Amino acid sequence: MLMDIVTSDAFGGRGSQGPQIIMTDDSTSERNALKRMFPGIIALLCLFHVLQAMWRYIWDSKHKADSSDKLEIYILFRDVCYEQNEDDFKEKYESMLAFPKVKANSGLVKHFKDLYERAPEWALAYRVDLLTRGNNTNNYSEATVRLMKDLVFQRLKAYSEVQMFDFFTTRLEAFFERRLANVLNGRQENYWKSKHFIHPSKLAPLRCEKSPQEGFYLVKNVERKTEYVVDMKHEVCSCHVGRNGAPCKHQMAVVQSFNIMSTQLLPIDLESKLALHKIMTTVSAPPEWYAPLKGGPYVPNNAGTVAADISLDNQDTTLDGAGASEELDFAAGSTTESGTIFDQAKLSAALEKWEDINTYMINSLKSRPDVFVDAVDKFSVKFQRAKDSSENQLLSAFHTFNRQAAGHRSVVRKYIYSNSSSIQKRKQPSLGGRKCTHQGRPPKSAYTTEHGYPKSKAKKTAGNIAPTKRSAIPHSLALKVSEQSQPKKPRLKL
């Protein structure tokens, strides 16, 4: 049924030949069916399921592995799986078999040898040159099923096929629309942990330039003194991350520098965002919808650098402050991004001030490097951090510069303490002879007849016997002595 609707440009232009690589768990029926349908396919095993099966095999009591050795044996096999060099892979495999606790278990040795015959299907050493896009597990498909169960079906079973079809066409559609909206609106905090998002701080030391060959770019790391080649036609890189097609920071640097489209990185160019908007809403959006909020038309960035590529080694740093401002071109700064005209005199004065700062810092670095080098290093780190965060944070840092230095004491807000005795001496407000009543149910001390609560409760008596009433104590001492001398009457027990 699938092949009946497949077009000639499906599967990356392979058409009826099917995909070049598939990745499944160790389901024999599934793998045999795919191999019959696509004879030339490369069938790989999901590394997660391989390690999971090995974990269960080792911890199964019938395989007679000692409980104190199980974890160590599993770690040995895991290291063999993740080895990316073929020679080192074979060496680690032989050392694992020679391990005394493995060698003593004949069943475990046989199991390892059976797996070794299928090593090209699960070992990373045999898939380094395959275009797997950095995927060594089939977590994409399993994560999709989990999202459908959690977010679409909400862990509930559909009552019929009709209801299931309704869930797919309504809830699943709404879920993907929200995901696309987050990408288009720049809500990048939702994707910071994704491999398809590269944090801007990792791109700061990278410098990009075009190669003479079409579609190739050279990316240099000025801090580590390394250089990599990026092929944007096939979206691969010569680094250890991107050599099998996985997204890497060098590809992201090329995308941002030359404003080109990438199928495996979050879109930043206007054309990609407009295409995603049409997929989300089926309606074409005006180009100004995703234009910068600062105004002005969308202009592609073809500068070819991620950051300002300025090197003191390639410039004449013997500046004395004279004649330096004559080489600056002020024409580009006369009009802002929003199209308004900026004061030319104010711009010229600001450029001269900045040139004086630049001259002073360069001369200070040359004359006293032991004093200024460390300070400049710390300043550059903080400057780059603020620049990577946002333009507003960078401007705020300029406005608040030197605020905490000597002579500019920061304002400390102090707590105003009050005298405890003064609170007790405060007079209560006059309420016309009546005390302020509490909200809600009144306390027992405030029970009055007007609230429906009597001041005192009548004691319960037995039968027709009236409750005794205490009389007031007489003030005559002689009478009291005579009463105490008389025999007491027996009490009536109730």
Side-chain angles (χ1 to χ4, degrees), residues 21-83:
I21 302 172
I22 62 168
M23 188 176 297
T24 64
D25 55 4
D26 200 10
S27 174
T28 306
S29 58
E30 180 182 7
R31 294 173 67 83
N32 291 338
L34 289 171
K35 289 179 181 178
R36 284 196 304 269
M37 180 62 66
F38 310 111
I41 201 171
I42 301 175
L44 301 178
L45 284 173
C46 171
L47 188 57
F48 168 78
H49 287 92
V50 171
L51 293 173
Q52 185 185 54
M54 179 56 65
W55 178 269
R56 293 174 178 174
Y57 182 90
I58 293 175
W59 285 87
D60 194 345
S61 59
K62 68 181 181 181
H63 297 131
K64 301 178 181 180
D66 191 72
S67 59
S68 60
D69 304 332
K70 291 179 180 180
L71 181 59
E72 191 173 3
I73 294 173
Y74 172 78
I75 292 175
L76 287 174
F77 179 75
R78 186 195 62 184
D79 294 341
V80 172
C81 291
Y82 282 108
E83 181 56 53

Side-chain angles (χ1 to χ4, degrees), residues 347-362:
L347 174 61
S348 301
L351 289 172
E352 290 180 2
K353 292 178 182 178
W354 187 259
E355 191 64 33
D356 293 340
I357 297 173
N358 188 28
T359 303
Y360 172 78
M361 290 304 301
I362 291 176

Side-chain angles (χ1 to χ4, degrees), residues 73-371:
I73 294 173
Y74 172 78
I75 292 175
L76 287 174
F77 179 75
R78 186 195 62 184
D79 294 341
V80 172
C81 291
Y82 282 108
E83 181 56 53
Q84 298 189 11
N85 185 275
E86 188 173 350
D87 295 334
D88 294 339
F89 166 77
K90 295 178 180 179
E91 182 180 350
K92 285 188 176 182
Y93 169 75
E94 295 295 338
S95 62
M96 180 181 65
L97 293 181
F99 189 65
K101 298 175 182 179
V102 175
K103 192 175 182 179
N105 192 326
S106 59
L108 195 60
V109 172
K110 183 180 181 302
H111 184 66
F112 282 151
K113 289 183 178 180
D114 293 340
L115 280 176
Y116 182 75
E117 295 178 358
R118 303 176 60 188
E121 298 178 0
W122 53 266
L124 295 188
Y126 294 95
R127 61 175 71 172
V128 173
D129 298 328
L130 297 179
L131 202 62
T132 58
R133 300 294 178 191
N135 299 311
N136 295 311
T137 65
N138 57 359
N139 289 344
Y140 263 130
S141 58
E142 295 196 356
T144 304
V145 174
R146 180 182 60 81
L147 290 174
M148 289 174 56
K149 289 181 179 179
D150 292 344
L151 303 179
V152 179
F153 294 103
Q154 297 179 352
R155 291 290 173 181
L156 300 175
K157 291 184 177 180
Y159 294 102
S160 64
E161 291 83 358
V162 177
Q163 188 177 14
M164 182 181 294
F165 178 77
D166 179 67
F167 283 177
F168 274 110
T169 55
T170 56
R171 295 186 180 183
L172 186 62
E173 185 77 11
F175 168 74
F176 283 114
E177 286 179 359
R178 290 194 300 270
R179 298 279 290 188
L180 289 174
N182 289 337
V183 174
L184 293 176
N185 293 327
R187 296 172 184 170
Q188 298 177 348
E189 63 274 6
N190 298 328
Y191 306 97
W192 280 351
K193 296 183 179 180
S194 172
K195 67 178 181 180
H196 301 282
F197 172 79
I198 310 297
H199 198 273
S201 60
K202 297 182 179 181
L203 308 179
L206 302 182
R207 305 292 182 266
C208 306
E209 60 182 23
K210 285 186 177 181
S211 175
Q213 290 79 15
E214 185 178 359
F216 289 86
Y217 299 86
L218 300 178
V219 182
K220 300 179 181 180
N221 191 322
V222 296
E223 291 182 356
R224 299 184 179 181
K225 308 300 181 182
T226 55
E227 182 175 339
Y228 298 97
V229 180
V230 178
D231 179 10
M232 290 306 299
K233 182 179 180 181
H234 300 94
E235 298 190 56
V236 294
C237 180
S238 60
C239 68
H240 70 282
V241 176
R243 61 182 175 181
N244 59 358
C248 64
K249 61 182 180 181
H250 309 105
Q251 300 178 39
M252 187 66 177
V254 173
V255 168
Q256 288 191 358
S257 300
F258 298 95
N259 198 19
I260 58 180
M261 186 184 300
S262 174
T263 58
Q264 56 181 359
L265 293 170
L266 293 182
I268 60 172
D269 58 302
L270 182 61
E271 291 76 9
S272 300
K273 290 184 177 181
L274 293 176
L276 288 179
H277 179 90
K278 188 171 184 179
I279 294 174
M280 180 179 66
T281 62
T282 68
V283 179
S284 299
E288 58 270 15
W289 275 31
Y290 298 104
L293 294 178
K294 294 182 179 179
Y298 176 77
V299 180
N301 179 19
N302 296 321
T305 56
V306 177
D309 193 2
I310 300 177
S311 175
L312 293 177
D313 297 336
N314 300 328
Q315 296 181 357
D316 184 12
T317 56
T318 58
L319 299 178
D320 55 359
S325 61
E326 297 178 358
E327 301 178 359
L328 299 176
D329 183 10
F330 299 149
S334 59
T335 306
T336 62
E337 294 181 357
S338 59
T340 58
I341 304 300
F342 194 78
D343 187 4
Q344 188 69 37
K346 191 175 181 180
L347 174 61
S348 301
L351 289 172
E352 290 180 2
K353 292 178 182 178
W354 187 259
E355 191 64 33
D356 293 340
I357 297 173
N358 188 28
T359 303
Y360 172 78
M361 290 304 301
I362 291 176
N363 293 333
S364 300
L365 280 170
K366 283 185 170 185
S367 60
R368 291 190 295 168
D370 55 332
V371 177

